Amino acid sequence: MISLQRLCNTMVAFLLFIFFHSNAQSSQTDTLKIMTYNTLNYGFSSSSSCPALITANKHGYLRTILRYENPDILGLLKMDASPSSFSKTKVIQHVLDSVCLGCYGHSDFTNLSGYSKENMLYFKTSKLGYLGTITIYSADPNISDINLHRLYYKDSNLSINHDTIFINIVLVHDKSGINNASVRETEIGGAMNWLNANVTSPGNYIFMGDFNTQSSTEACFQAMINSSNVNARFYDPPNQLGDWALNPIAFSNYLTENTRITDPGDCGATGGMDLRFDHILCTQPIMQGTKAVEYISGSFNVIGNDGNHTTLALTDLPTNTSVPPSVLNALYYMSNHLPVSIMVSVTPPPTISTAAINFAFSKNGLVVSPNPTTGLFNISTGNTNFNELAISVMDMQGKEVFREIDKTLLRGTIYNKQINLEGLARGIYYIRLNTSVESKIQKIIIQ
């Protein structure tokens, strides 16, 4: 016989189910195009040996390519690192603003390795927020810093459901050369050491750029696709593993280098399309869509590769019709590499109304807003049934960076307090609210 208490619990659970589902709104799926491109000494001055390295011309080529592709997340490699303003402002002013005026932000500039060339991540600020950049390997002065860039998707209902969708991008330009496999092993090994130690739960991670790998059996590539840490194990979306250099014809649709037979004057490598150096690798949650971001099957694209130009120049016969002629010409003269892109879908969680959230947590309806925040936010409640509230804020490592106890509350009143954390670094924090009747933890983003 069912007890009265059990019957009551069942009825409450049923009513909560009806309440939440009646207050939930269906989520809207969005798509993001993610692209990486080795720009071949973009921003460097021309010389007698490299007369075609004319930045104004390269601005024009890149504008043509990006207007056609219109990426949401863009990693550009092998740009002039000095001055740093080139990658931080000139690319946006001269190229990205013509794709979409005022639409793109960029990651932080780093050059701990002291290398002459720089990588930079750009993203559409209407869709994505920036949490910061972590240098995960910089010990080799012959390559750019390998950085992890942390983004979050700007779900319009983030302030209500607080369920943040994170996208983490590792951008790399490895040491080139057929005889430098051991150097690449050290470089990628250093980055993977950081990821293996710090990625402790499943998440949306992408490792992309120019890896300069001759085959998938290279130790550096194996370190990524066979990591012992399943949370930091990467997958090739088109699943085209093998010996790309030895058997390029078998991978004709996936070759990314070389776009020319002869050098047009910018000192890029030549020899025709015969290598697969450029990749976008994803962790399992992206491949399976378990963390709201999912690779769209079949979307992997080597832009400008029609599969018919193995060992040929991009502009040789047969005529390449995979992109418009103006884009094909821009790809040929911009770089000896082709850009690579994927599409992912982003599906935010169903939205539950504020009333439903407040009901779910307690009658007090503790609310933290705005979230994301610049560091200045409010904590408010409905009518209180407690006299004391302890507020603490912790960083991602669990270190408490703020604590305050408010003992001035009066039962039955509305509580509202402003907290100022503008001195903290940008990133993800957890705010804990403790009262005599409940404890609540929620994520807060300082941007």
Side-chain angles (χ1 to χ4, degrees), residues 115-182:
Y115 189 48
S116 61
K117 299 166 189 177
E118 166 67 359
N119 307 330
M120 183 67 78
L121 192 77
Y122 305 89
F123 53 91
K124 284 188 177 175
T125 57
S126 61
K127 291 188 174 186
L128 297 152
Y130 178 59
L131 290 172
T133 291
I134 303 170
T135 300
I136 63 175
Y137 182 79
S138 61
D140 190 337
N142 298 302
I143 66 166
S144 309
D145 297 346
I146 302 179
N147 287 330
L148 169 69
H149 308 285
R150 308 199 68 191
L151 306 176
Y152 68 91
Y153 179 72
K154 287 186 174 178
D155 177 10
S156 59
N157 294 303
L158 181 59
S159 62
I160 297 174
N161 57 37
H162 305 293
D163 195 350
T164 312
I165 299 169
F166 299 104
I167 302 174
N168 304 279
I169 309 282
V170 180
L171 202 55
V172 64
H173 177 212
D174 253 355
K175 180 72 173 175
S176 62
I178 193 170
N179 296 318
N180 285 322
S182 61

Side-chain angles (χ1 to χ4, degrees), residues 10 14 27 41 63 85 92 98 116 131 144 150 174-175 196 229 239 285 289 300 319 328 350 362 368 379 388 414 435:
T10 302
F14 175 74
S27 56
N41 301 325
R63 277 197 296 268
S85 58
I92 289 181
S98 71
S116 61
L131 290 172
S144 309
R150 308 199 68 191
D174 253 355
K175 180 72 173 175
N196 286 330
N229 178 359
N239 194 27
F300 183 91
T319 302
L328 190 73
S362 77
V368 178
I379 296 173
E388 183 175 306
I414 293 174
T435 75

Side-chain angles (χ1 to χ4, degrees), residues 12-32:
V12 168
F14 175 74
L15 289 172
L16 282 171
F17 175 85
I18 295 297
F19 185 84
F20 273 93
H21 283 263
S22 65
N23 284 276
Q25 303 169 12
S26 60
S27 56
Q28 296 291 322
T29 298
D30 194 4
T31 58
L32 299 175

Side-chain angles (χ1 to χ4, degrees), residues 29-30 76 89 114 230 245 252 298 356:
T29 298
D30 194 4
L76 295 182
T89 58
V230 295
S252 58

